[in-house]
Amino acid sequence: MPATASTCPACLGAPRAYVRTFAAFEYAPPADALIQMLKIRLRLSMGPVLARLLAAEVRRGGGLPADALLVPVPAGRASLRLRGMNPAGEIARSLAAELALPLARGALRRLRETPRQTSLGRRARQIGAMGLFAGAPQVRGRHVAVVDDVMTTGSTVQAAAIALLAAGAASVTILVAARTP
């Protein structure tokens, strides 16, 4: 999305539970290779690289509140079995160090398993993400920054933000390494 745009066209008709999104880059060549190295080739060394790029974007955009809590989107069991790690968690771990903010891995939990989203359209992703997460009491009164690797339709981060707000979070910001164009 151009820096001059205030809202993406797909978001105009749908209210969002989060206040802002920071994305380090568009999920398009050649930058998408960084995500693929982490998720597909399992190169854990890409976590800190992606975190540095994302931290730079957050700083460029005015930063986060000093009391913000970083919360990675939890991976499903099938993804964890396949990869042996959570890409969002790897990025969040390094991002916490980059931004000197606390990381709360257990502040968001997945309530059920979902099919892989890569082949699903916007509506199917929205339906599949509804009620997917629950927030923990530790977010009460805190500004929460949800960390994920790629934001496509925004369905996953919307579900995460709704769950965190329901658990008492003061507000939610989304931090993603990449945003699909």
Side-chain angles (χ1 to χ4, degrees), residues 7-120:
T7 306
C8 75
C11 300
L12 287 173
R16 297 290 177 217
Y18 46 92
V19 295
R20 190 168 185 194
T21 301
F22 289 96
F25 53 85
E26 283 190 355
Y27 190 71
D32 61 337
L34 297 173
I35 300 282
Q36 292 168 7
M37 280 191 268
L38 176 63
K39 290 178 77 166
I40 298 167
R41 295 189 191 128
L42 307 178
R43 296 220 10 225
L44 296 179
S45 60
M46 288 298 105
V49 171
L50 293 167
R52 276 192 296 279
L53 292 169
L54 183 50
E57 183 60 29
V58 169
R59 288 183 192 108
R60 250 191 313 277
L64 295 169
D67 66 338
L69 188 64
L70 297 182
V71 175
V73 170
R77 283 192 301 265
S79 286
L80 285 173
R81 274 193 307 273
L82 176 69
R83 295 187 180 112
M85 58 88 179
N86 175 4
E90 293 300 315
I91 295 167
R93 182 167 46 93
S94 295
L95 188 60
E98 284 286 328
L99 297 175
L101 291 171
L103 175 62
R105 287 186 188 269
L108 186 65
R109 66 183 170 82
R110 187 178 280 266
L111 297 176
R112 67 182 190 291
E113 294 302 306
T114 56
R116 290 185 52 104
Q117 293 188 5
T118 53
S119 63
L120 300 178

Side-chain angles (χ1 to χ4, degrees), residues 96-173:
E98 284 286 328
L99 297 175
L101 291 171
L103 175 62
R105 287 186 188 269
L108 186 65
R109 66 183 170 82
R110 187 178 280 266
L111 297 176
R112 67 182 190 291
E113 294 302 306
T114 56
R116 290 185 52 104
Q117 293 188 5
T118 53
S119 63
L120 300 178
R122 177 177 294 277
R123 188 70 186 132
R125 286 176 185 233
Q126 290 170 335
I127 291 168
M130 283 187 217
L132 181 58
F133 302 109
Q138 71 193 87
V139 302
R140 188 173 315 282
R142 300 287 300 266
H143 175 81
V144 178
V146 173
V147 181
D148 206 358
D149 53 356
V150 179
M151 182 175 176
T152 303
T153 64
S155 300
T156 300
V157 294
Q158 173 73 357
I162 288 169
L164 291 163
L165 291 170
S171 64
V172 177
T173 296

